[in-house]
């Protein structure tokens, strides 16, 4: 009886920390059965239009463990794809062999989204039985690509793939099959690296697809670091140019892989670019691995000194690398200039947990334990500005509701990486496919750049739309850029950009959209978009988890939200995707970053394949996408965001 009351309280609780405490109480009580009323309430919550109610039901079902299995088993036969999708989530959180058995049953579901979610949950449980279940899926020659992707990603995450023999599911011959589909190629390339098939990986380094190049670099470095022989083709000028491109423009993960691959060829020159990146601290393991690969310390140090003499901008960092050459990994500094930094306040585990909860509550940001050092470094200056001696007192300031410091903290922690003409595949699809399909010359074509940072993406979209207006594709257009950070929105409104906003020399046609100006603040020359472009672009501070602020925005034809969802919590992602659907016209399109996907997540959109990328479309009649759930208000919700 007492357990039933706690369950009912947990289902009704909307404050997430309090609800999780109640859920933990349910889990510790470990009831053997659940009553009829509790079953009915749980089932009703799973069908609710309120996303918080559905998330609460999923958490409670997982906490009930074996007592919930009869209900979950019955609901796996429910006609609603959305309900079955939530059941699969709950089973994945329960873990254990009984849950795994039910998930293997769900892996044969008629819904592709439910099948993919079942494999995702199997991966969460892990272990030899889970790996075997994932491998069995890959033996199906008619397996849908999105289900195959879930299986491949699961095997990659479990990390236990070893070189197989014959026609095993993860044999090179089987994995090569998945290189043919753009959706599965990336995961297949990374797994091919794990099994050491370098011959299958190398050609993809020069693919026209940057996403495929990225996966090939990660797969190849995995193979070489596991002892595979260095392929002679790695030193080809074309391949080295591609790797250098990723050192310059790639995120820190692919830049690290590209650096190590160049190190395997004995090339130190890429270090000059790497040590001047803003995120060079994250590249430290790769930087030292390159030095190690290029020879003994006494041979490498003079080469680094020579590079420092030629490249004064990178001299300090290169000389410090030279001085640390030959040290053991455990004795390396955490950042290139870390040894020269003054002592600062330490962000302990308890303080970080408290701080991460605050960021999730006010901005939806997801801060994992791996981010603790980065958060500590980025907020150190705020402690000095606010004269707080330690993080406990600084967090107390944030929790007090100081609006200005809240904005400063969010700006310090959020990632503002952006530049003009980024990820050209999705831009080409926008210009050549999305706009011509969706344009209506009786009204302005409206685009939202969500998470716009300093505005480079918004102005890139304006440039493309201005070109389409000159060709008569659209009569007029508006571009809205929004970001949670007031500081970057202010810089976007200034619209003066330095060379790092371009990452490559502007082509002749691109240069015509800019004028050279003196930056008011810094007094240095910069590039500013033409006045007629600036008239079409509007920037606002908007928090994606603030329902009222998002609802105040107009309706859009296309929404760009690239490389934003990966930084926010699952609950915030779910709300953001729901908000995007609500702010799109029927038939409108959502464009995500190349590392983000909704394909195996319950969502209200239908995939829209383009020649060089993928968008997600709201249905023309306002009905649900392939696996969504209609709420009583006519809106659509998702159960949780992509991992």
């Amino acid at each position: 009886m007492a357990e039933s009351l706690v369950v009912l309280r947990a289902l009704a609780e909307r404050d997430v920390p309090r609800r999780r405490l109640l859920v933990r109480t349910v889990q510790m009580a470990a009831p053997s059965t659940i009553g009829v009323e509790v079953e009915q309430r749980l089932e009703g919550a799973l069908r609710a239009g309120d996303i918080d109610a559905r998330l609460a039901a999923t958490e409670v079902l997982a906490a009930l463990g074996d007592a919930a299995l009869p209900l979950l088993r019955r609901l796996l036969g429910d006609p609603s794809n959305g309900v079955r999708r939530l059941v699969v989530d709950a089973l994945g959180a329960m873990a254990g062999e009984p849950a795994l058995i039910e998930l293997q049953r769900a892996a044969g579901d008629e819904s592709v989204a439910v099948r993919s979610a079942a494999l995702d949950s199997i991966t969460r449980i892990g272990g030899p039985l889970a790996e075997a279940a994932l491998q069995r899926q890959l033996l199906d020659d008619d397996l849908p690509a999105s289900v195959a992707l879930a299986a491949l990603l699961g095997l990659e995450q479990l990390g236990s793939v070893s070189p197989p023999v014959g026609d095993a599911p993860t044999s090179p011959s089987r994995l090569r099959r998945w290189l043919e589909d753009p959706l599965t190629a990336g995961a297949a390339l990374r797994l091919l690296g794990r099994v050491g098939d370098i011959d299958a990986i190398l050609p993809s380094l020069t693919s026209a697809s940057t996403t495929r190049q990225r996966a090939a670099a990660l797969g190849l470095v995995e193979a070489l670091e596991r002892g595979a022989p260095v392929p002679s083709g790695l030193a080809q000028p074309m391949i080295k140019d591609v790797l250098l491109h990723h050192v310059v423009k790639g995120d820190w993960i692919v830049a690290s892989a590209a650096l190590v691959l160049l190190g395997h060829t004995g090339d130190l020159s890429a270090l000059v670019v790497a040590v001047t990146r803003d995120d060079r601290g994250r590249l430290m393991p790769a930087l030292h691995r390159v030095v190690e690969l290029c020879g003994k310390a006494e041979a490498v140090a003079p080469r680094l000194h020579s590079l420092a003499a030629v490249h004064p901008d990178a001299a300090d960092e290169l000389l410090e690398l030279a001085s640390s050459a030959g040290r053991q990994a455990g004795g390396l500094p955490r950042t290139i200039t870390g040894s020269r930094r003054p002592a600062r306040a330490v962000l302990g585990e308890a303080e970080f947990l408290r701080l991460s909860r605050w960021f999730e509550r006010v901005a939806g940001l997801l801060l994992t334990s791996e981010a603790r050092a980065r958060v500590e470094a980025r907020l150190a200056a705020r402690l000095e500005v606010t004269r707080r001696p330690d993080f406990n007192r600084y967090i107390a300031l944030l929790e007090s509701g100081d609006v200005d410091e809240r904005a400063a903290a969010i700006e310090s922690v959020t990632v503002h990486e952006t530049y003009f003409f980024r990820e050209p595949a999705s831009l080409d699809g926008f210009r050549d496919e999305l706009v011509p399909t969706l344009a209506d010359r009786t009204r302005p074509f409206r685009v939202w750049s969500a998470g716009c940072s300093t505005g480079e993406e918004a102005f890139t979209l304006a440039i493309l739309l201005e070109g389409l207006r000159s060709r008569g594709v659209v009569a007029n257009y508006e571009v809205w850029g929004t970001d949670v950070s007031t500081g970057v929105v202010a810089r976007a409104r200034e619209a003066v950009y330095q060379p790092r906003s371009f990452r490559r020399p502007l082509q002749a046609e691109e240069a015509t959209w800019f004028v050279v100006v003196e930056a008011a603040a810094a007094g240095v020359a910069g590039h500013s978009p033409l006045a007629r472009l600036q008239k079409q672009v509007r920037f606002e501070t908007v928090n994606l988890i603030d329902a009222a602020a998002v609802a105040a925005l107009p309706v859009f034809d296309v929404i760009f939200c690239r490389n934003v969802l990966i930084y926010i919590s699952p609950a915030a992602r779910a709300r953001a995707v729901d908000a995007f659907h609500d702010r799109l016209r029927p038939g409108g399109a959502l464009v995500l970053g190349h590392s983000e996907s909704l394909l195996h997540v319950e969502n209200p959109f239908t995939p829209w394949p383009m020649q060089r990328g993928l968008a997600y479309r709201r249905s023309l009649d306002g009905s649900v996408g392939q696996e969504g759930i209609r709420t009583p208000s006519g809106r659509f919700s998702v159960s949780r965001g992509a991992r």
Side-chain angles (χ1 to χ4, degrees):
M1 181 65 179
E3 292 88 349
S4 297
L5 291 174
V6 177
V7 168
L8 296 177
R9 283 181 59 197
L11 288 173
E13 182 60 65
R14 289 296 175 266
D15 181 78
V16 174
R18 283 200 293 267
R19 184 176 78 217
R20 288 181 178 166
L21 183 61
L22 291 168
V23 168
R24 178 63 177 159
T25 302
V26 172
Q27 188 174 32
M28 292 176 66
S32 57
T33 59
I34 55 178
V36 175
E37 181 186 1
V38 170
E39 273 202 18
Q40 291 173 345
R41 288 285 296 276
L42 285 166
E43 188 169 347
L46 288 176
R47 301 183 190 281
D50 181 359
I51 187 171
D52 286 326
R54 293 159 61 200
L55 289 172
T58 306
E59 291 174 4
V60 170
L61 283 165
L64 286 168
D66 288 350
L69 275 175
L71 174 61
L72 293 172
R73 191 176 293 120
R74 176 169 63 81
L75 290 176
L76 278 178
D78 193 273
S80 166
N81 293 340
V83 169
R84 299 200 306 279
R85 173 69 177 80
L86 292 170
V87 169
V88 162
D89 267 356
L91 287 166
M94 285 170 59
E97 190 170 338
L100 187 59
I101 291 171
E102 298 305 322
L103 286 169
Q104 290 182 71
R105 173 186 159 203
D109 195 276
E110 62 182 18
S111 162
V112 169
V114 174
R115 290 182 69 180
S116 299
L119 297 184
D120 190 21
S121 288
I122 287 171
T123 301
R124 290 169 65 189
I125 292 175
L129 292 177
E131 183 179 358
L134 294 172
Q135 291 197 4
R136 279 196 297 274
Q137 290 288 317
L138 295 177
L139 292 173
D140 182 357
D141 291 332
D142 298 319
L143 194 65
S146 57
V147 180
L149 177 63
L152 292 167
L153 290 174
L155 289 169
E156 182 182 10
Q157 184 175 331
L158 291 178
S160 54
V161 176
S162 56
V165 295
D167 197 36
T170 53
S171 66
S173 61
R174 280 275 176 181
L175 290 174
R176 286 187 184 203
R177 172 198 168 193
W178 298 109
L179 294 178
E180 299 169 8
D181 193 303
L183 185 62
T184 54
L189 283 165
R190 294 190 297 273
L191 283 175
L192 282 165
R194 197 164 290 175
V195 301
D197 190 359
I198 57 177
D199 291 336
I201 301 171
L202 199 60
S204 290
L205 279 177
T206 53
S207 165
S209 165
T210 55
T211 303
R212 197 176 183 107
Q213 291 174 11
R214 182 184 192 279
L218 295 171
L220 191 56
V221 80
E222 174 93 17
L224 297 185
E225 293 299 289
R226 284 172 173 256
V230 179
S232 58
L234 190 60
Q236 292 177 4
M238 181 182 298
I239 289 181
K240 292 180 74 172
D241 286 346
V242 168
L243 294 174
L244 183 59
H245 169 84
H246 286 294
V247 173
V248 174
K249 295 188 176 182
D251 59 64
W252 72 273
I253 297 174
V254 72
S256 296
L259 273 171
V260 172
L261 290 175
L262 287 167
H264 276 285
T265 70
D267 192 339
L268 282 173
S269 60
L271 296 179
V272 175
V273 176
V275 298
T276 57
R277 286 177 53 128
D278 292 342
D279 58 355
R280 60 183 176 272
R282 286 183 163 186
L283 299 178
M284 282 303 297
L287 292 169
H288 287 283
R289 178 63 175 140
V290 170
V291 172
E292 179 185 340
L293 288 168
C294 288
K296 295 183 178 179
E298 57 269 23
V300 173
R303 293 175 62 190
L304 290 170
H305 279 275
S306 298
L307 284 173
V310 178
H311 301 281
D313 290 346
D316 288 348
E317 290 79 8
L318 289 169
L319 291 174
E320 188 157 342
L321 264 182
S323 69
S324 65
R327 295 180 192 168
Q328 294 297 317
L332 294 174
R334 286 174 60 187
T335 62
I336 290 175
T337 57
S339 59
R340 294 194 293 269
R341 288 179 182 161
R344 64 186 182 206
V346 175
L347 180 59
E349 185 175 349
E351 292 92 343
F352 177 72
L353 180 61
R354 185 177 163 198
L355 192 60
S356 62
R357 286 174 176 166
W358 182 86
F359 276 111
E360 181 174 359
R361 185 174 70 253
V362 302
L365 296 176
L366 177 64
L367 298 178
T368 62
S369 57
E370 291 81 4
R372 191 165 95 188
R374 174 174 62 87
V375 172
E376 177 185 301
R378 291 192 174 189
L379 290 179
R382 299 310 310 165
L383 268 68
E384 294 181 18
V385 170
T386 58
R387 298 187 178 182
R388 292 318 192 261
D390 54 51
F391 276 98
N392 262 326
R393 298 187 195 186
Y394 179 69
I395 297 168
L397 173 65
L398 294 176
E399 292 174 339
S400 73
D402 187 307
V403 175
D404 292 338
E405 192 53 37
R406 165 179 161 167
I410 291 172
E411 182 172 357
S412 298
V413 168
T414 48
V415 177
H416 304 307
E417 175 71 8
T418 185
Y419 49 89
F420 282 95
F421 309 108
R422 187 182 188 184
E423 295 181 15
S426 58
L427 296 176
D428 290 347
F430 170 75
R431 179 194 61 209
D432 300 335
E433 299 178 59
L434 300 186
V435 180
T437 301
L438 300 174
D440 180 347
R441 289 183 54 79
T442 64
R443 56 171 173 77
F445 191 91
R446 193 176 289 130
V447 184
W448 177 14
S449 171
C452 67
S453 188
T454 44
E456 287 89 335
E457 177 180 79
F459 282 119
T460 297
L461 297 172
I463 289 170
L464 297 178
L465 287 166
E466 190 68 30
L468 291 169
R469 179 162 69 173
S470 68
R471 289 161 40 196
V473 178
V474 296
N476 201 356
Y477 67 91
E478 299 173 13
V479 178
W480 289 59
T482 70
D483 201 278
V484 69
S485 169
T486 56
V488 297
V489 168
R491 293 201 292 275
R493 288 170 177 162
E494 291 175 1
V496 178
Y497 297 98
Q498 302 304 316
R500 73 179 310 275
S501 291
F502 297 93
R503 299 296 175 91
R504 60 170 172 78
L506 287 171
Q507 299 174 10
E509 182 181 353
E510 294 168 346
T512 62
W513 298 107
F514 298 88
V515 293
V516 178
V517 298
E518 290 294 319
V524 296
H527 284 79
S528 184
L530 295 177
R532 73 173 188 267
L533 290 175
Q534 294 190 43
K535 286 174 60 178
Q536 305 298 126
V537 183
R538 174 174 177 172
F539 293 104
E540 299 290 344
T541 301
V542 173
N543 188 337
L544 290 179
I545 66 170
D546 184 340
V550 173
L553 296 172
V555 175
F556 298 91
D557 295 282
V558 176
I559 297 174
F560 270 72
C561 184
R562 299 190 295 177
N563 307 302
V564 174
L565 299 184
I566 56 176
Y567 295 111
I568 61 180
S569 68
R573 289 177 208 151
R575 291 187 177 91
V577 172
D578 191 30
F580 294 151
H581 188 273
D582 187 62
R583 292 293 88 198
L584 275 173
R585 296 184 190 277
L590 170 65
V591 180
L592 303 179
H594 63 69
S595 61
E596 299 166 313
S597 172
L598 299 180
L599 285 173
H600 61 289
V601 178
E602 178 205 345
N603 70 88
F605 293 95
T606 299
W608 186 342
M610 300 183 291
Q611 284 293 110
R612 295 185 60 204
L614 181 68
Y616 300 90
R617 190 173 198 180
R618 176 173 175 167
S619 60
L620 285 165
D621 59 1
S623 62
V624 72
Q626 59 177 7
E627 303 297 344
I629 296 178
R630 178 180 287 280
T631 69
S633 65
R635 296 181 64 193
F636 297 83
S637 297
V638 296
S639 63
R640 63 185 178 92
R643 285 190 316 189

